[in-house]
Amino acid sequence: MNRSKQIGSKVPVYLNRFPLRPLSPDELRPRLFRPELSPPPDREEAHPLLAQVARQLGVPAIPWQGAFLLTWEEPKRMQGEVRRGERVYAFSLEAQGRAELDPARPQDREALSRLASRRLEERLARLRLRRDMQDMNVEERRIYRKEVASGPGWRFLQGAELDLLVDQKGRLVLEVDLFHRILPSLTLEAWLREGYPLPRRARNAYGGPRRVWDVVRLGEEAPEAVLLPGGKNLLDYHRERGRLEGEAGQVVWVQDPRRPREEVPHLTGLLLPVLSLEEVHDLGEVPRLQIPPGERLEGARRTARWVAKHLNLGAPPSLEPLMDQALRLPLPSLVAAGKRRVKKPADALEVGPFRSRPAKVALLRLDGGRGWPPFLERRLERLGLETGTLEADLQDELALRRKLSALREAGFSALLVLTPPLSWEVRNRLKALCLKEGLPTQLLNTPLKEAKEEEHRLANALLGLLVKAGFQLLALEGEYPAELVVGFDAGGQNSFRFGGAACAVGQDGSLLTWALPEAQPGERIPEEVVWDLLQEALLAFSPEGRLSRKVLLLRDGKVPPGEFARALEELRRRGVAYDLLSVRKSGGGRLYPVRGRLADGLFLPLEEETFLLLTVHREGRGTPRPLKLVREEGNTPLVDLALQIYHLTRLYPASGFLFPRLPAPLHLADRLVREVGRLGVRHLKEVPRDRLFFV
C-alpha cells in the first residue's frame, strides 16, 4: 500500500550536521584484524570482549562482523589481556589485509561512522592535554567551557555534544548539539560541611576513567579502621595512589550501579557530587536554560567551525549546516466511543472510551482521608463503573493480601491508592503485593489541591486506572500497512534486565496488550525469546481466525546481530509479510526551521533505509528532536511506515494531554521492562494481558 498521495507539503529544514570533506581512499579501505582470544569465550561473551580488545590497541578501532576489528591506523599493541568478570582473556591480532567498504551500503557506512566517532573521541582526549585548553572540560564526545550561571557549590556550563559521521556520499559530517552541564565546585566533604543534603550520586574527584557511584550512606567508621581486601585500610589505599593531596574527609558507602548489591567504602574528600537539575532546583533559583532555535543553530555553527579547526578535521572555508526538505504527514484521526472523533486521550473521559466493559474499581486511602475525590467519583459514575473502598494497614502484609484477594473475588479489577509520597521501596512492595492478587494499582500522591489546579493530574490518574481495568480508550481511524505492530525493548534495573514486548493490535491500534518479559544478562534479547514474545502477539490478534497479513516489528535502539533471525524465519515460513525497524531516541540530532515554525509529523529521508521522524514538538519547549529510524528488513515504502508510527504515538493511553515521542507499542514496552525490573516477574501470573499494570 502506498499512501504518498496523502502526504502534505514540503518543509525546508536545517539539520545540526555540518559536511566536512570526502573520505580518502585509505579511509575507505581500513585495516582488518582477526583477534584470537584464549580461552575461547562463550557466544554471549564474544561481542563485549571484542569491544574491549578494540579499546586496547592504542588507536581508534571498532568490532566488525562479530569476529574482526577495523582501524584506520596500525595498532600500537598487537597482543595483551582483557578481563570480563572474574575471567582474564589473552588476545593477539592477526592481520587480514584491508576491508573494501562502500559508504553507499548501510552496514559499511555504519562501520565507517563508528570509526570516525572513535577518531573524534581520541582527538578530543588529546585536545584536553594542551596547555591552552586547560579551562575546557572533555568527557568522551562532550566539550564544555562557557559558564552561564553559578551558585553556592555548583556551576552551569554550556557545551556541545559532538559526533562524527559518514554519509551516503562518503563525506565526513560533524554533528553538533548544544547542551548544559551541572558541575560541582565543592568536594562532597565541603558540600556536606555547607549543610547541603547527601546527593544521590557522586563521582571520583581524581584522575582516571570517570566513575559515577550511587551514594548509599555516610559511615561512622574512621577511614583508617576500614579494612579492604588484602589487608590495607581505606586511608592507606588512597594515600599510596597519590590521591590525598587535600583532606580525606569521612567514610561514605557507595555502590557501582552495575553491581547494586555491593557496598563499597569511599572518602568524601575524594568525591564530587553529581547533581541533577531537580537537586539544584531544591537549593535555590535555577536559570532559564532553554536556547531558542535560531540562537541554538548559530551556536552550533560557531562550535562546528571551532572543532573542525582545532581537531584538524578538514573543513571547507565556509562551514554551513545541511539543509533538506522534510515532508509533512497528515494528522491522525483519533476516535473514542461510537467512533466520535477526539483530539487527545483525556477527551475519552467526556465522550466515553472506544471499548469499555463492566468493571469495578476500589479505593485505598493511606493519607487519612475518606471517600473518593468528587472529580473522580463523578466521572466514574458517568462511565458506568462500580466503586468500592478498602481499608488496610501496610505493616500487616498478610491481612492486606487477604483483603486484596477478597476484592478480586468480588469482581474488582483495579485499585486506586491515594497516599502521601512513598519511598521507592514501599511503593514497589505495595504494587507487587497487589499484582500477586491480580489487582493493578494506580498511585496518586496527596495532598490534592483545588479541583481546577489538579484537573490534569486527576484525569491522568483516572486514565491510568481505566487501562489497568482493561478499558481501551482510543483507536485510530484509517488504513495502515501493518495489521499488527509489536514493540520490543530490553531494560530493567542495573544488571538485572528483561526483554519484553507490547503491541498495538489491528490497523486501528484498537487493542493494547503485553507479553510476559524474560530475564536476560544484557541488552540483547535472545532470538528464541523474541520469537516467543512475537508468538504471544500473533495469538492475541487473529482476525477471522487467521494470522496477520503484515507485521511491523519495532526495536528500541539498535538491533543486535541475529536477534530477530528466528522470528523472521518463522514469519517467512508462514507467509506473513514484515518490516523490522530500529527506533532510536538519540542520533537524530535536531531540526531547525528555515523560516517560520515547525510542527509535528515531519518525515525526512536520510539514506536508503534511514529516516528522521518528528513525532512530537511543543512550541516553547526547545528545538525539535526527531527520532532516527533504520529499516533492517522489509520493503514497505518508508513514508507509509512513518505515517503509521507517527499516528501510533497518539495511542499511549495514560497521558491525557501530552503525547510521547515513541509510538505506543515501544513506549509501552519501555514502561513494561522498567516496571518489571523494579517489581520482578514472579508477581505477574494473575494479571490479565489486557491490563496495562505498568503505565
Side-chain angles (χ1 to χ4, degrees):
M1 179 199 316
N2 191 323
R3 304 180 57 178
S4 56
K5 292 182 180 178
Q6 297 187 24
I7 305 306
S9 58
K10 291 185 176 181
V11 179
V13 294
Y14 288 119
L15 287 77
N16 60 330
R17 296 181 174 185
F18 299 82
L20 301 178
R21 62 169 176 83
L23 290 178
S24 69
D26 277 351
E27 289 171 327
L28 290 170
R29 301 175 63 247
R31 293 172 170 83
L32 183 67
F33 295 90
R34 179 193 291 275
E36 295 292 335
L37 289 164
S38 179
D42 298 334
R43 179 182 173 188
E44 293 295 327
E45 298 288 329
H47 188 73
L49 281 170
L50 201 61
Q52 282 185 251
V53 173
R55 293 279 181 174
Q56 298 291 322
L57 305 190
V59 296
I62 61 162
W64 171 246
Q65 293 185 342
F68 301 96
L69 296 175
L70 291 178
T71 175
W72 276 330
E73 304 169 42
E74 192 67 28
K76 295 177 181 177
R77 183 184 299 173
M78 295 291 288
Q79 56 189 18
E81 289 182 346
V82 292
R83 181 183 293 273
R84 179 82 174 160
E86 299 299 319
R87 300 193 70 177
V88 176
Y89 298 84
F91 73 84
S92 60
L93 300 185
E94 180 183 334
Q96 302 286 307
R98 288 180 176 266
E100 303 285 344
L101 300 186
D102 181 357
R105 291 196 296 261
Q107 186 179 24
D108 291 3
R109 185 169 60 250
E110 175 80 13
L112 291 167
S113 291
R114 285 163 53 214
L115 271 174
S117 188
R118 288 285 294 115
R119 173 179 284 177
L120 177 68
E121 288 180 20
E122 181 213 33
R123 293 193 179 178
L124 283 172
R126 276 192 270 156
L127 183 70
R128 180 174 50 185
L129 301 177
R130 284 175 39 177
R131 302 181 75 177
D132 59 338
M133 298 292 173
Q134 293 303 300
D135 64 333
M136 174 174 290
N137 292 276
V138 177
E139 293 176 1
E140 295 182 336
R141 298 194 303 271
R142 289 184 165 193
I143 59 171
Y144 41 93
R145 63 194 304 183
K146 178 184 175 184
E147 184 173 302
V148 295
S150 63
W154 51 265
R155 297 182 298 149
F156 272 105
L157 299 184
Q158 188 183 98
E161 185 165 10
L162 310 171
D163 205 355
L164 196 56
L165 315 170
V166 175
D167 70 6
Q168 190 176 6
K169 299 176 182 177
R171 299 178 299 181
L172 280 175
V173 177
L174 180 63
E175 187 173 274
V176 180
D177 191 13
L178 303 188
F179 76 106
H180 290 95
R181 182 90 160 83
I182 308 171
L183 285 184
S185 54
L186 299 172
T187 64
L188 181 55
E189 174 65 18
W191 177 266
L192 296 172
R193 198 162 50 233
E194 291 292 322
Y196 296 130
L198 195 66
R200 289 193 287 265
R201 298 186 302 156
R203 65 180 174 89
N204 294 342
Y206 43 83
R210 187 176 186 271
R211 191 83 178 269
V212 177
W213 306 91
D214 291 335
V215 178
V216 181
R217 57 188 165 84
L218 288 174
E220 298 180 1
E221 312 91 331
E224 57 271 18
V226 178
L227 296 181
L228 303 177
K232 285 190 176 67
N233 69 54
L234 183 62
L235 207 60
D236 287 343
Y237 173 83
H238 287 293
R239 182 181 289 119
E240 289 178 7
R241 286 158 176 76
R243 296 169 180 167
L244 292 181
E245 297 176 1
E247 60 180 337
Q250 56 190 310
V251 174
V252 59
W253 290 87
V254 297
Q255 290 176 338
D256 184 335
R258 294 167 296 182
R259 291 184 285 274
R261 293 189 174 94
E262 298 178 21
E263 291 189 4
V264 179
H266 215 312
L267 294 171
T268 54
L270 300 182
L271 291 170
L272 296 169
V274 174
L275 304 173
S276 68
L277 193 61
E278 179 185 8
E279 287 172 304
V280 173
H281 186 275
D282 291 341
L283 299 175
E285 185 178 347
V286 176
R288 183 172 178 81
L289 299 178
Q290 280 190 2
I291 308 173
E295 184 180 327
R296 180 180 286 274
L297 180 59
E298 184 54 38
R301 182 186 282 113
R302 287 195 304 269
T303 302
R305 290 170 179 169
W306 187 93
V307 169
K309 174 184 175 182
H310 285 81
L311 298 189
N312 192 27
L313 297 178
S318 177
L319 193 57
E320 295 295 333
L322 279 171
M323 190 176 80
D324 211 331
Q325 299 286 336
L327 295 175
R328 190 179 302 285
L329 301 176
L331 292 170
S333 177
L334 294 172
V335 293
K339 294 194 174 182
R340 292 178 60 183
R341 291 191 176 184
V342 293
K343 294 183 178 179
K344 56 188 181 297
D347 295 342
L349 299 178
E350 302 300 326
V351 304
F354 177 77
R355 184 182 293 117
S356 59
R357 63 197 309 166
K360 299 179 181 180
V361 292
L363 172 69
L364 169 62
R365 296 203 69 150
L366 302 176
D367 62 342
R370 301 186 66 84
W372 287 83
F375 177 93
L376 298 178
E377 191 171 38
R378 288 194 301 270
R379 278 156 182 77
L380 287 169
E381 185 178 346
R382 184 188 306 168
L383 293 168
L385 275 78
E386 293 186 47
T387 60
T389 57
L390 171 69
E391 294 185 3
D393 179 4
L394 297 192
Q395 302 302 315
D396 190 343
E397 291 188 354
L398 189 58
L400 173 62
R401 289 190 61 180
R402 283 176 176 158
K403 292 182 177 182
L404 293 171
S405 178
L407 274 181
R408 188 187 62 183
E409 293 297 323
F412 285 84
S413 52
L415 178 69
L416 175 68
V417 181
L418 289 181
T419 175
L422 301 174
S423 69
W424 277 103
E425 184 179 2
V426 173
R427 168 203 178 275
N428 292 341
R429 184 62 181 163
L430 173 61
K431 297 193 85 169
L433 289 173
C434 294
L435 287 176
K436 276 180 179 289
E437 304 304 327
L439 281 174
T441 55
Q442 178 69 39
L443 270 63
L444 179 60
N445 285 344
T446 57
L448 298 173
K449 301 174 185 176
E450 293 297 323
K452 270 296 178 187
E453 293 183 61
E454 294 284 12
E455 192 168 308
H456 280 203
R457 199 157 71 94
L458 289 166
N460 283 336
L462 181 53
L463 292 170
L465 187 67
L466 291 175
V467 297
K468 287 167 183 173
F471 281 56
Q472 182 70 43
L473 300 179
L474 301 175
L476 288 167
E477 192 175 54
E479 294 184 6
Y480 298 94
E483 286 189 310
L484 172 65
V485 185
V486 189
F488 295 83
D489 194 11
Q493 290 291 93
N494 305 310
S495 59
F496 198 43
R497 310 191 74 81
F498 293 87
C503 57
V505 178
Q507 286 184 330
D508 61 358
S510 61
L511 173 62
L512 300 177
T513 185
W514 54 277
L516 190 66
E518 291 269 356
Q520 61 189 53
E523 284 286 347
R524 184 183 185 276
I525 310 175
E527 58 181 291
E528 295 80 12
V529 174
V530 172
W531 170 232
D532 288 344
L533 295 171
L534 180 55
Q535 282 187 71
E536 293 216 26
L538 290 167
L539 291 172
F541 178 63
S542 301
E544 302 168 2
R546 60 172 175 80
L547 292 176
S548 303
R549 294 190 178 94
K550 177 172 281 191
V551 176
L552 175 56
L553 308 174
L554 303 175
R555 175 62 159 98
D556 186 74
K558 295 182 179 180
V559 180
E563 188 178 69
F564 281 79
R566 170 79 187 278
L568 299 185
E569 176 58 32
E570 296 287 352
L571 291 176
R572 282 193 293 269
R573 285 202 309 112
R574 290 163 173 77
V576 177
Y578 57 80
D579 290 274
L580 168 62
L581 272 74
S582 160
V583 183
R584 307 174 189 180
K585 297 184 287 291
S586 59
R590 293 184 188 265
L591 296 179
Y592 301 91
V594 173
R595 54 183 173 271
R597 298 177 177 178
L598 299 182
D600 294 352
L602 291 184
F603 164 75
L604 180 61
L606 293 181
E607 292 96 20
E608 312 96 332
E609 303 294 335
T610 304
F611 61 93
L612 301 182
L613 181 62
L614 181 60
T615 55
V616 174
H617 174 53
R618 296 188 291 276
E619 197 62 42
R621 294 292 186 94
T623 311
R625 296 182 65 90
L627 299 171
K628 180 180 179 181
L629 297 98
V630 180
R631 198 241 300 275
E632 306 285 348
E633 298 280 351
N635 55 20
T636 304
L638 291 183
V639 68
D640 292 351
L641 296 176
L643 184 69
Q644 186 165 14
I645 292 167
Y646 165 46
H647 287 186
L648 283 171
T649 62
R650 272 45 186 169
L651 281 187
Y652 181 66
S655 178
F657 305 90
L658 300 175
F659 303 115
R661 288 175 70 202
L662 289 174
L666 267 189
H667 195 66
L668 289 169
D670 174 73
R671 296 295 296 265
L672 172 66
V673 295
R674 287 175 187 269
E675 187 76 338
V676 173
R678 289 188 286 260
L679 305 181
V681 73
R682 67 185 184 279
H683 312 296
L684 306 182
K685 295 178 182 177
E686 301 298 327
V687 184
R689 293 298 186 267
D690 62 347
R691 312 288 170 84
L692 305 184
F693 69 91
F694 45 87
V695 300

